[in-house]
Amino acid sequence: MLTLKNPNGLAKAVVALLAGNIFFDVLLGLFEARWLMADAMPYTFDPAVFGQVDLNLAYSMQVMVFVATIVVFIIWFHRLRSNAEVWAGDLQGRKPGWAIGGWFIPIGNLWIPRAIAADIWRASRWQPYAADGARELTLLNAWWTFWIIDWIVDRAASQVYRGADTQEAYDSAAAWALASYTVNIVAAVLAILVVRRLTSMQQAKATGMIPAAQ
């Protein structure tokens, strides 16, 4: 028998981790901006240090927070998908396992998780079988759009950095990295809003005595 699972604790952890990602994006983005402004600054600086911050340590911590965010987010996502199966299993286009595996399929991960999220959204609202409102999925679509943009810009920045061998090339790489951090901040903020909205929808539905099948 399918039972509901409380996603609140996981949602709080995801939000905290996403906030951590935003913190490091701001910190490292400021470093990239400082690098770009270096020619106009009347002093030099150690590229391995930003103020009192050891950048090697900051990059390592950023990676750890990012990996932790991926793990906890996917666990939260799968829990919401499991709850969606209780309320409107027939509306779900893919089995619950896809809420995990869909993120790791090359190319397919550019649309599969978004489709699953939309199915979860419909199952979690008061009337699962009603038609989508005109702007109902705007937040979800905005988050996914910025996630795709960030995915593209981040890979472009990495490619430029790997091929950089002149000051001009490093400046270009820094500009791409700064753009990536900026887009990632927007994507993270939207992700926080999506996590809070979906969790709130499921919490309201679970505590509102709404029948699992409608």
Side-chain angles (χ1 to χ4, degrees), residues 23 57 76 86 117-118 157 205:
F23 170 78
L57 177 60
W76 167 84
V86 177
K205 190 162 186 174

Side-chain angles (χ1 to χ4, degrees), residues 161-212:
Y161 255 120
R162 278 195 288 267
D165 56 4
T166 64
Q167 181 63 45
E168 292 75 13
Y170 278 112
D171 287 346
S172 178
W176 274 99
L178 181 58
S180 177
Y181 289 129
T182 301
V183 175
N184 192 57
I185 289 170
V186 177
V189 170
L190 290 170
I192 288 174
L193 296 177
V194 168
V195 169
R196 290 173 59 88
R197 177 73 66 81
L198 277 173
T199 302
S200 176
M201 289 168 65
Q202 290 211 345
Q203 179 68 12
K205 190 162 186 174
T207 58
M209 304 301 290
I210 297 176

Side-chain angles (χ1 to χ4, degrees), residues 56-129:
N56 291 325
L57 177 60
Y59 283 121
S60 297
M61 292 181 66
Q62 180 200 35
V63 171
M64 289 189 292
V65 171
F66 180 69
V67 171
T69 304
I70 292 174
V71 172
V72 179
F73 182 93
I74 291 177
I75 295 172
W76 167 84
F77 193 65
H78 182 263
R79 179 162 295 187
L80 262 64
R81 172 60 185 83
S82 297
N83 289 342
E85 190 74 16
V86 177
W87 287 313
D90 57 327
L91 288 181
Q92 308 307 301
R94 292 177 174 84
K95 298 294 184 181
W98 282 92
I100 297 175
W103 294 94
F104 301 100
I105 299 176
I107 306 302
N109 59 8
L110 297 179
W111 73 82
I112 291 175
R114 186 269 168 199
I116 295 172
D119 289 342
I120 292 172
W121 185 290
R122 296 181 182 105
S124 303
R125 64 193 179 191
W126 293 110
Q127 297 179 324
Y129 299 95

Side-chain angles (χ1 to χ4, degrees), residues 7-27:
N8 290 343
L10 285 169
K12 291 177 181 178
V14 172
V15 168
L17 287 167
L18 285 168
N21 279 275
I22 292 172
F23 170 78
F24 283 109
D25 284 336
V26 171
L27 175 64

